[in-house]
Amino acid sequence: MSKGSKSRIQNQDNFNKGFDKIFTKEPDIPELNLEWQCYCNKINEIREFYSMDSKIFSAADKERFAKAHKKKYNI
């Protein structure tokens, strides 16, 4: 067996987690979707109160929100 043909994975769990993060879409979390909707509504209520245009939230906004949510709840 040559040197390059042997698997060198040190920690299989970390490898699997990284592989899944790169090559698979993370599942939707219903609680996250509910919190996201409440967040968007509240932001737009505040903007309306101050006579500002409503904010259109992008996919990038939701992704940042999801990362913060996961960090907060250690998911």
Side-chain angles (χ1 to χ4, degrees):
M1 187 186 305
S2 67
K3 189 175 184 179
S5 62
K6 186 176 180 184
S7 176
R8 294 193 183 115
I9 298 170
Q10 301 294 325
N11 184 329
Q12 188 68 44
D13 291 333
N14 283 345
F15 175 83
N16 291 342
K17 184 188 274 187
F19 184 89
D20 291 342
K21 188 182 283 187
I22 294 169
F23 295 107
T24 60
K25 183 179 178 188
E26 293 187 22
D28 269 352
I29 303 170
E31 300 84 24
L32 175 64
N33 291 333
L34 179 61
E35 283 193 42
W36 170 247
Q37 192 61 45
C38 292
Y39 170 80
C40 293
N41 290 340
K42 191 65 176 176
I43 293 293
N44 281 326
E45 284 176 16
I46 292 168
R47 292 177 69 91
E48 184 178 339
F49 180 79
Y50 289 103
S51 301
M52 299 169 71
D53 293 335
S54 62
K55 172 148 174 52
I56 306 298
F57 294 95
S58 67
D61 293 329
K62 187 172 184 179
E63 189 174 314
R64 283 192 299 274
F65 182 85
K67 285 180 183 178
H69 182 275
K70 288 178 182 180
K71 186 175 181 181
K72 180 178 180 182
Y73 295 107
N74 295 321
I75 297 174

